[in-house]
């Protein structure tokens, strides 16, 4: 008995020791993860999994460690393990990261399903709205692909090279080559590699030479990257880690945040270093770019007011050099994920990298027209600029349409490489919304073909038009502007059919049903122009031939007479008061005969149509003989009317 008790005690001690050892290993892995040491955290977490630990937290952190290190295929594997733990195991943010990871391995259908789940679980998520309004995003990306040629540059090293910028005739870029540390997470706030600024001179063969450090004054023991130069090359805005006297300054989480500094060139040396007023210890500010007038500074930040991991912001640069309060560019550009590495062209086209808009893989490069942002769409540049990997930090010469960007795609020289490109065709930023629908006879339910479909905005302006097909369906494009719209269907012998819809940011394709009621036969004495709500038929001055616009109106009269074969019509033609009275009687008579002849030529029996000319005896206004009137007023009197008779 005593020996049994001893054995039980030993087992309990061993189990307790084992549990404590397991807890210590989890704590060490969690610390590595919290310290952004993802490589070490991955090996520690995977060892725990091999020993039978199936904690959702470990699966989640493993997925994140791979995700933040741009190893998306591995991230997808662990996010799948997390999702398999149950519907409550994976939160909304990890639904999105799982969807992005699936895109990078071209499992687009599965990715779309997870975005749809996110959209259902979190109403109002901008990423979900972006997806809902762009469900055919792969088709659109494919249509835009092929607009560029790209080449890798010889200036790339086995380490990270990225974030090129124009400086006079040269480029300046960021590199980790000085310490031979390779990492794929240069676009995260927690940079671990040692970065310096390098410069290179064009060699004339679409490449560069004379590669070397940019400035001993700007390169320091901290990390420098992402420059933006004024046109004269004498002022630079650049990114650097928060630090004092070459030592990193960290926040409460142990992260040395990124900040933007400004320096000026004097006597060939960079100096007069200034920290931007919106820099802070608790958030990052990075990746500056200047507009053409150099009175606006665009940048990326996770400062208070940011929607997601990082947003694109803009701040005014005043004439005295001071900067205004940063303004967030808003939900059309920014999302709950990452928008970063902005570049603004001379004509205010904003390029930026994002994993919050529908794309091909990790981060894709997008563009939009910020000077007309309300009416502009967000354009994915497509392949070959974008890939299933991370593509970012694009710049482009406004005149030559040649530029550079960075990517961590495979077959490069390092983890991040710089590529040159040439734009072959311009981008189209017109924002169009798909509108689809069907037209039916309200009474019978029959599909109505060849119905005129017109979309109007709330100001009554015509936005788009089309004709319904043989099966009554129609599709057309409308503007993306938010507001109220009306779709009108119009067909001969039918009353107009109308449907209204409200366009909101991110709203999906509009689906419209138009119901048109058949017009009843008009009683004797009715003016068909009023009954059918037709425009009067006008004639040119001193002419009696049928104009093109008149033929459109006559088609509706023809449709009515075909619909009601017993109907008879008296055509009454009128002139204006110019010329003498007898001449005008003769002219109007010719116009009546011309109108009758047109209807007969279209198949209407001659016995059903009569007509007379009334000259200037029945004017519609006061433009009588000798009264000065405009051409437009006179034209109102040159018309034909259609009166139903027995």
């Amino acid at each position: 008995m005593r020996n049994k008790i001893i054995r039980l005690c030993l087992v309990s001690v061993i189990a307790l020791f084992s549990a404590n050892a397991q807890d210590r290993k989890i704590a060490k892995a969690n610390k590595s993860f919290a310290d952004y040491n993802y490589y070490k955290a991955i090996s520690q977490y995977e060892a725990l999994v091999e020993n039978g630990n199936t904690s959702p937290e470990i699966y989640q952190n493993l997925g994140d460690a791979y995700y933040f290190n741009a190893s998306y295929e591995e991230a997808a594997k662990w996010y799948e393990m997390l999702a398999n733990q149950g519907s409550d195991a994976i939160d909304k943010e990890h639904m999105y990261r799982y969807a992005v990871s699936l895109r990078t391995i071209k499992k687009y259908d599965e990715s779309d399903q997870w975005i749809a789940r996110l959209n259902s679980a979190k109403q109002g998520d901008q990423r979900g709205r972006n997806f809902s309004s762009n469900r055919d995003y792969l088709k659109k990306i494919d249509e835009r692909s092929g607009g560029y040629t790209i080449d890798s540059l010889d200036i790339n090293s086995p380490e990270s090279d990225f974030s090129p910028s124009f400086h006079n005739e040269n480029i300046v870029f960021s590199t980790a080559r000085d310490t031979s540390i390779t990492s794929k997470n240069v676009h995260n706030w927690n940079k671990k590699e040692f970065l310096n600024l390098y410069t290179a001179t064009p060699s004339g063969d679409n490449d560069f030479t004379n590669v070397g450090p940019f400035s001993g004054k700007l390169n320091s023991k901290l990390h420098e990257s992402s420059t933006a130069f004024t046109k004269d090359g004498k002022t630079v805005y650049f990114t650097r880690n928060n630090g004092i006297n070459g030592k990193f300054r960290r926040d409460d989480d142990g992260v040395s945040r990124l900040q933007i500094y400004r320096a000026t060139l004097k006597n060939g040396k960079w100096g007069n270093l200034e920290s931007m007023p919106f820099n802070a210890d608790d958030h990052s500010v990075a990746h500056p770019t200047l507009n053409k007038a150099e009175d606006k500074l665009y940048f990326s930040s996770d400062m208070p007011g940011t929607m997601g991991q990082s947003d694109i912001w803009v701040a005014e640069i005043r004439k005295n050099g001071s900067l205004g309060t940063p303004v967030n560019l808003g939900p059309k550009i920014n999302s709950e994920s990452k928008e970063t590495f902005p570049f603004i062209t001379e004509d205010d086209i904003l390029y930026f990298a994002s994993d919050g808009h529908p794309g091909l893989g990790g981060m894709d490069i997008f563009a939009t027209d910020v000077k007309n942002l309300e009416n502009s769409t967000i354009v994915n540049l497509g392949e070959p600029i974008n890939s299933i990997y991370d593509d970012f930090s694009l710049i482009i010469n406004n005149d030559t349409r040649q530029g550079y960007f960075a990517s961590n795609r495979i077959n490069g020289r390092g983890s991040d490489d710089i590529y040159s490109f040439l734009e072959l065709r311009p981008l189209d930023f017109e924002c169009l919304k798909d509108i689809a629908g069907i037209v039916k006879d309200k009474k019978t339910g029959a599909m109505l073909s060849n119905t005129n479909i017109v979309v109007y905005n709330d100001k009554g302006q015509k936005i788009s038009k089309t004709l319904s097909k043989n099966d009554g369906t129609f599709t057309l494009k409308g503007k993306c502007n938010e507001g109220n719209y009306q779709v009108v269907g119009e067909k001969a012998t039918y009353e107009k059919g109308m449907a209204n819809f409200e366009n909101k940011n991110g709203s999906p394709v509009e689906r419209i049903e138009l119901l048109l009621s058949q017009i009843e036969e008009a009683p004797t004495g009715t003016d068909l122009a009023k009954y059918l709500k037709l425009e009067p038929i006008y004639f040119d001055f001193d002419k009696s031939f049928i104009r093109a616009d008149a033929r459109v109106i006559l088609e509706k009269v023809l449709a009515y007479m075909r619909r009601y074969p017993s109907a008879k019509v008296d055509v009454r033609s009128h002139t204006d008061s110019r010329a003498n009275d007898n001449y005008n009687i003769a002219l109007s008579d010719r116009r009546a005969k011309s109108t009758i002849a047109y209807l007969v030529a279209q198949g209407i029996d001659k016995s059903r149509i009569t007509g007379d000319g009334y000259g200037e005896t029945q004017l519609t206004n006061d433009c009588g003989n000798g009264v000065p009137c405009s051409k437009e007023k006179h034209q109102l009197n040159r018309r034909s009317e259609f009166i139903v008779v027995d």
Side-chain angles (χ1 to χ4, degrees):
M1 182 67 178
R2 183 169 177 270
N3 291 335
K4 185 176 181 180
I5 293 173
I6 292 173
R7 285 197 298 273
L8 288 172
C9 290
L10 287 174
V11 169
S12 299
V13 169
I14 292 171
L16 179 62
F17 179 81
S18 177
N20 289 337
Q22 185 85 339
D23 289 343
R24 286 195 297 271
K25 289 179 181 179
I26 293 173
K28 288 181 179 180
N30 288 342
K31 185 177 187 305
S32 298
F33 183 84
D35 289 341
Y36 306 102
N37 192 344
Y38 296 131
Y39 285 119
K40 187 175 181 179
I42 286 170
S43 64
Q44 291 170 324
Y45 283 133
E46 289 185 341
L48 287 166
V49 172
E50 288 179 6
N51 288 329
N53 194 306
T54 58
S55 164
E57 180 187 13
I58 290 179
Y59 290 152
Q60 177 177 295
N61 289 353
L62 260 172
D64 285 347
Y66 278 115
Y67 185 89
F68 294 140
N69 212 43
S71 298
Y72 296 112
E73 185 171 3
E74 288 296 316
K77 182 181 77 173
W78 293 109
Y79 288 145
E80 181 181 12
M81 299 284 283
L82 175 64
N84 289 338
Q85 295 290 299
S87 58
D88 296 333
I90 185 166
D91 60 28
K92 299 169 186 64
E93 185 59 35
H94 288 89
M95 288 181 187
Y96 188 77
R97 292 177 190 172
Y98 186 22
V100 171
S101 301
L102 288 168
R103 282 205 305 249
T104 67
I105 52 179
K106 298 187 177 182
K107 292 185 177 181
Y108 294 110
D109 289 341
E110 290 183 48
S111 174
D112 292 350
Q113 290 171 14
W114 278 99
I115 294 290
R117 285 185 61 176
L118 167 68
N119 206 26
S120 298
K122 187 179 180 183
Q123 296 295 326
D125 190 292
Q126 185 62 35
R127 297 166 300 188
R129 291 198 297 267
N130 290 340
F131 170 75
S132 293
S133 58
N134 289 279
R135 290 183 181 273
D136 59 344
Y137 69 95
L138 288 174
K139 178 183 176 183
K140 291 179 180 178
I141 292 173
D142 183 63
E143 290 172 351
R144 296 187 186 112
S145 293
Y148 304 86
T149 59
I150 68 170
D151 288 295
S152 181
L153 299 179
D154 288 339
I155 63 173
N156 290 312
S157 71
E159 288 73 49
S160 292
D161 301 289
F162 67 103
S163 198
S165 67
F166 297 114
H167 179 229
N168 299 326
E169 298 301 319
N170 298 342
I171 66 166
V172 173
F173 63 98
S174 306
T175 181
R177 66 188 63 196
D178 289 329
T179 53
S180 299
I181 298 175
T182 301
S183 180
K184 293 182 178 181
N185 65 337
V186 298
H187 43 77
N188 288 315
W189 295 136
N190 52 289
K191 287 180 166 40
K192 288 296 181 182
E193 59 285 289
F194 183 77
L195 298 172
N196 270 335
L197 299 175
Y198 267 54
T199 184
T201 305
S203 62
D205 57 355
N206 197 31
D207 217 309
F208 293 86
T209 186
N210 300 326
V211 181
F214 173 64
S215 167
K217 292 289 185 180
L218 297 186
N219 285 333
S220 70
K221 294 180 180 179
L222 301 171
H223 307 312
E224 286 80 29
S225 68
S226 306
T227 55
F229 294 88
T230 54
K231 288 188 288 291
D232 62 9
K234 295 181 179 180
T235 300
V236 62
Y237 295 82
F238 68 99
T239 305
R240 172 184 282 177
N241 278 92
N242 183 14
I244 300 176
N245 298 323
K247 294 183 178 181
F248 292 104
R249 184 171 180 173
R250 303 183 184 276
D251 63 12
D252 294 339
D253 296 324
V255 178
S256 180
R257 299 291 179 173
L258 304 183
Q259 299 185 340
I260 293 178
Y261 292 82
R262 179 170 60 192
T264 55
L265 186 66
K266 187 175 182 180
N267 298 324
K269 294 183 178 180
W270 290 99
N272 192 28
L273 199 65
E274 299 176 78
S275 173
M276 295 298 95
F278 35 75
N279 291 336
D281 293 342
D282 61 353
H283 64 252
S284 287
V285 182
H287 316 317
T289 181
L290 292 166
N291 68 336
K292 180 180 180 180
E294 298 176 357
D295 59 1
K296 291 181 180 178
L297 181 72
Y298 292 82
F299 57 90
S300 180
S301 178
D302 61 348
M303 66 175 59
T306 298
M307 293 178 58
Q309 296 177 52
S310 62
D311 284 359
I312 308 297
W313 297 72
V314 63
E316 177 191 3
I317 303 175
R318 304 187 183 101
K319 291 183 178 180
N320 63 3
S322 64
L323 280 88
T325 302
V327 176
N328 190 297
L329 292 192
K332 186 156 190 179
I333 291 176
N334 296 315
S335 72
E336 291 82 353
S337 288
K338 186 162 35 191
E339 281 71 43
T340 186
F341 286 102
F343 177 78
I344 191 80
T345 68
E346 292 184 358
D347 49 0
D348 287 329
I349 303 303
L350 177 70
Y351 293 84
F352 63 97
S354 171
D355 59 4
H357 293 268
L360 294 176
M363 286 203 304
D364 278 14
I365 299 174
F366 299 83
T368 192
D369 185 352
V370 293
K371 66 179 178 293
N372 187 28
L373 188 57
E374 179 184 358
N375 299 321
S376 179
T377 190
I378 306 296
V379 175
N380 184 303
L381 300 193
E383 295 179 308
I385 294 287
N386 288 323
S387 67
I388 61 174
Y389 302 95
D390 285 331
D391 310 292
F392 57 101
S393 68
L394 179 144
I395 62 173
I396 186 170
N397 184 296
N398 217 56
D399 297 323
T400 66
R401 310 312 296 172
Q402 185 174 16
Y404 307 91
F405 72 101
S407 177
N408 66 356
R409 62 191 63 185
I410 61 173
N411 300 323
R413 183 173 297 182
S415 61
D416 297 292
D417 285 336
I418 298 174
Y419 295 81
S420 67
F421 70 86
L422 179 66
E423 183 182 79
L424 303 178
R425 60 174 184 264
L427 294 171
D428 182 6
F429 295 105
E430 185 178 20
C431 184
L432 298 175
K433 178 185 183 67
D434 291 322
I435 301 172
I438 191 167
V439 192
K440 298 179 180 179
D441 184 299
K442 186 175 182 178
K443 184 176 181 180
T444 67
M447 309 304 175
L448 300 180
S449 63
N450 294 314
T451 304
N452 287 298
I453 309 296
V454 183
V455 182
Y456 297 91
N457 63 15
D458 54 7
K459 297 178 181 178
Q461 298 169 325
K462 186 183 295 185
I463 301 301
S464 187
K465 64 179 181 179
T466 190
L467 284 172
S468 63
K469 300 176 183 178
N470 290 336
D471 61 358
T473 62
F474 64 88
T475 58
L476 47 74
K477 298 285 187 179
K479 298 289 185 180
C480 285
N481 306 45
E482 293 190 2
N484 296 308
Y485 292 82
Q486 185 175 68
V487 182
V488 177
E490 188 173 1
K491 185 176 177 65
T493 75
Y494 281 87
E495 297 280 358
K496 290 181 179 179
M498 292 172 283
N500 300 315
F501 70 88
E502 182 181 5
N503 187 33
K504 296 181 178 179
N505 183 34
S507 59
V509 174
E510 295 296 338
R511 302 197 179 277
I512 304 296
E513 182 179 63
L514 293 175
L515 301 176
L516 276 59
S517 297
Q518 184 78 248
I519 293 175
E520 300 296 332
E521 187 171 3
T524 300
T526 301
D527 181 354
L528 282 184
K530 296 178 180 178
Y531 189 72
L532 301 178
K533 299 177 183 178
L534 306 178
E535 295 292 331
I537 291 183
Y538 295 121
F539 294 87
D540 289 331
F541 175 67
D542 201 29
K543 304 293 182 181
S544 60
F545 65 86
I546 303 298
R547 299 187 338 189
D549 59 342
R551 287 195 290 271
V552 175
I553 305 302
L554 287 175
E555 285 299 320
K556 297 179 181 180
V557 176
L558 285 166
Y560 176 86
M561 297 188 75
R562 289 166 182 157
R563 170 67 179 165
Y564 300 108
S566 63
K568 296 181 180 180
V569 172
D570 184 50
V571 179
R572 300 176 183 181
S573 182
H574 307 269
T575 69
D576 61 35
S577 63
R578 291 177 291 182
N580 65 60
D581 294 355
N582 291 333
Y583 179 84
N584 282 338
I585 288 289
L587 176 61
S588 63
D589 193 57
R590 292 197 302 272
R591 288 175 174 171
K593 287 182 171 61
S594 178
T595 303
I596 293 170
Y598 181 85
L599 295 173
V600 170
Q602 303 304 311
I604 301 300
D605 192 284
K606 190 175 182 180
S607 65
R608 299 175 60 198
I609 311 173
T610 58
D612 283 299
Y614 292 82
E616 58 184 273
T617 62
Q618 296 182 10
L619 301 177
T620 63
N621 52 37
D622 58 358
C623 294
N625 290 333
V627 177
C629 282
S630 65
K631 292 180 179 180
E632 291 75 18
K633 282 190 173 183
H634 279 303
Q635 179 167 281
L636 293 175
N637 291 313
R638 300 193 303 272
R639 68 200 189 279
S640 283
E641 298 170 328
F642 305 88
I643 307 300
V644 177
V645 295
D646 290 331

